[in-house]
Amino acid sequence: MYLKIYDQWRFLIIGLAFFLVLFGCQSANYPIDFEQLGEDERIVIRFSHVVGEDTPKGLAARRFAQLIKERSNGLVEVQVFPNGFLYKDGEELEALLQGDIQMIAPATSKVTSLIPEWSVIDLPFAFNSYEEVHQYLAGSAGQDLISKFDGKGLRMLGVWDNGFKQISNRDHPIYDPKSLQFLKMRIMPSDIIHKQFSSLGAIPREIDFNILFHHLESGDVDGQENTLSNITSKNLYLLQNYITISNHGYLGYVLLMNNQFWEELPDHIQVLITDTLKEVSEWERETAHNLNAKKLKELEACQCIDIYHLSPEERRSWAEEFQPVYDYFIERFGTKYIEALPKYQR
Ligand code: SIN
């Protein structure tokens, strides 16, 4: 008799628990803690990038991973591999296409090997502000560039800013473009950046971001161009005596996912990723802008490097020097992408 009552209670409790789980499943998207599942039962997104964790991209990648984990109760895990630990500059795009990793955020310059038209973004003095870049990408030329990822096995999920590039070197101050002559300059892989320096008599050399410090240290190259957050995060400024705040080129990132992986994700996970990235992208942009401004103040305060700011007139005369680079772009891709640049819309 006692056993029967005990059994009735037991079934009641199990039934109630089952009902709660079922009810919970319908009332919230992810009521269960999926962290206990094995890696093959969860959705794992390996996100590889080449910069430090204290950079705009590094910070945003971690925030994205954190929010996705919380919002999916551990069902989706974004594993972030910073500093090129997993794949270096020249390797990560190939690894993504092969499906060895699922997500990367390379600088736009680094996708020009796959889609050369993206090098329009590298044209010197093409943009004066972040807003101009965002508007360009939202317009028809930008949308055309974005659509070029379709059919390449890639899904583009957004753009993150880093900042505008500055020019540093070890040998002498750069007040005008001609002073770049004969300087060996590290560049990202982009024909337009190559042309930007070679047209002035400088000697451009493609070098992976992660080993740039050693190449500057050994004197293989004399200088480089980059954003202040990148220059400081890798201590590059310690090997350079001069920096010109030229803001001559935009450095931002395209968020790319392997398209087959994306297509196989359940719809609600795609929505979760899209919504979360939208939110993180807004945060990333603000973080990037603030971080670069903060790094400039820190460099000014440290008095460890000679800083020269181009005036608005100097920017205008520098921009004129780069007409051959624009002509080179037009020879290859016509005028469509160039004409849509804000400087030709004013
Ligand atoms: C990055 O910001 O991802 C690296 C940029 C560079 O290679 O200079």
Side-chain angles (χ1 to χ4, degrees):
M1 169 73 179
Y2 281 130
L3 198 62
K4 275 198 178 147
I5 291 175
Y6 170 76
D7 272 354
Q8 281 169 356
W9 272 106
R10 201 161 60 114
F11 286 128
L12 198 68
I13 288 166
I14 290 171
L16 191 65
F18 185 71
F19 172 79
L20 281 176
V21 168
L22 206 66
F23 180 74
C25 282
Q26 285 164 354
S27 61
N29 278 343
Y30 311 99
I32 306 169
D33 180 2
F34 290 101
E35 276 190 71
Q36 308 311 320
L37 297 177
E39 190 166 302
D40 52 346
E41 295 163 305
R42 279 178 281 137
I43 297 171
V44 176
I45 299 174
R46 286 195 295 270
F47 182 170
S48 174
H49 69 79
V50 300
V51 291
E53 295 190 278
D54 57 344
T55 58
K57 179 161 62 179
L59 292 165
R62 277 174 47 192
R63 190 176 179 89
F64 173 58
Q66 181 67 32
L67 290 175
I68 287 285
K69 183 179 171 183
E70 279 166 22
R71 291 172 184 179
S72 71
N73 278 350
L75 175 62
V76 186
E77 185 187 3
V78 180
Q79 297 176 348
V80 182
F81 298 92
N83 285 308
F85 284 149
L86 214 49
Y87 293 103
K88 307 209 179 334
D89 264 342
E91 304 166 346
E92 60 175 19
L93 192 53
E94 193 51 36
L96 183 71
L97 287 165
Q98 297 291 328
D100 297 334
I101 45 178
Q102 289 70 42
M103 192 169 173
I104 60 174
T108 57
S109 317
K110 293 177 189 174
V111 296
T112 60
S113 56
L114 193 66
I115 306 172
E117 291 87 343
W118 268 89
S119 60
V120 66
I121 306 292
D122 290 326
L123 284 165
F125 299 96
F127 303 100
N128 281 324
S129 67
Y130 296 107
E131 290 70 33
E132 286 190 354
V133 179
H134 302 159
Q135 275 166 20
Y136 181 78
L137 289 174
S140 64
Q143 292 304 301
D144 182 282
L145 287 176
I146 289 168
S147 73
K148 289 190 182 296
F149 287 109
D150 303 344
K152 299 269 183 210
L154 297 170
R155 179 88 190 187
M156 187 182 143
L157 294 171
V159 173
W160 284 353
D161 289 339
N162 182 326
F164 282 83
K165 292 180 287 183
Q166 324 299 351
I167 298 173
S168 72
N169 89 102
R170 192 192 44 210
D171 292 358
H172 52 250
I174 307 286
Y175 301 133
D176 65 75
K178 296 209 169 47
S179 341
L180 282 160
Q181 203 178 17
F182 305 129
L183 281 182
K184 287 177 278 169
M185 300 297 288
R186 178 268 172 173
I187 58 164
M188 292 188 278
S190 155
D191 281 1
I192 289 298
I193 303 181
H194 194 282
K195 192 80 183 162
Q196 167 193 284
F197 283 116
S198 64
S199 70
L200 298 171
I203 305 145
R205 182 161 164 210
E206 286 175 20
I207 295 175
D208 281 3
F209 182 64
N210 286 101
I211 50 172
L212 174 55
F213 185 91
H214 303 293
H215 283 268
L216 285 170
E217 196 174 35
S218 67
D220 284 347
V221 281
D222 307 311
Q224 60 86 50
E225 53 160 25
N226 225 311
T227 62
L228 292 175
S229 70
N230 275 347
I231 291 171
T232 50
S233 74
K234 292 287 178 203
N235 289 332
L236 305 181
Y237 68 100
L238 296 177
L239 303 168
Q240 305 279 270
N241 296 318
Y242 305 94
I243 187 162
T244 300
I245 304 300
S246 50
N247 290 310
H248 63 281
Y250 169 80
L251 197 164
Y253 307 113
V254 276
L255 293 164
L256 297 175
M257 212 173 247
N258 177 293
N259 195 49
Q260 190 184 340
F261 175 81
W262 172 261
E263 295 289 344
E264 286 169 5
L265 289 173
D267 288 354
H268 67 287
I269 300 293
Q270 289 186 352
V271 171
L272 173 74
I273 290 174
T274 311
D275 290 353
T276 307
L277 273 180
K278 191 163 178 278
E279 181 185 321
V280 172
S281 299
E282 276 167 30
W283 180 89
E284 192 277 344
R285 285 177 178 181
E286 202 184 329
T287 303
H289 308 168
N290 291 340
L291 197 61
N292 280 303
K294 179 168 169 249
K295 292 300 169 189
L296 179 57
K297 286 209 178 81
E298 284 175 13
L299 278 188
E300 281 165 349
C302 81
Q303 299 195 337
C304 49
I305 187 164
D306 185 275
I307 304 176
Y308 183 72
H309 290 261
L310 292 189
S311 68
E313 298 77 53
E314 282 170 323
R315 276 178 62 79
R316 272 193 288 279
S317 89
W318 273 61
E320 282 167 21
E321 295 282 336
F322 288 112
Q323 189 53 45
V325 187
Y326 282 69
D327 295 341
Y328 174 74
F329 185 93
I330 291 169
E331 268 167 38
R332 298 177 72 206
F333 306 113
T335 52
K336 171 176 162 186
Y337 298 105
I338 294 240
E339 277 170 355
L341 288 173
K343 60 200 274 177
Y344 300 115
Q345 302 293 307
R346 284 174 209 129

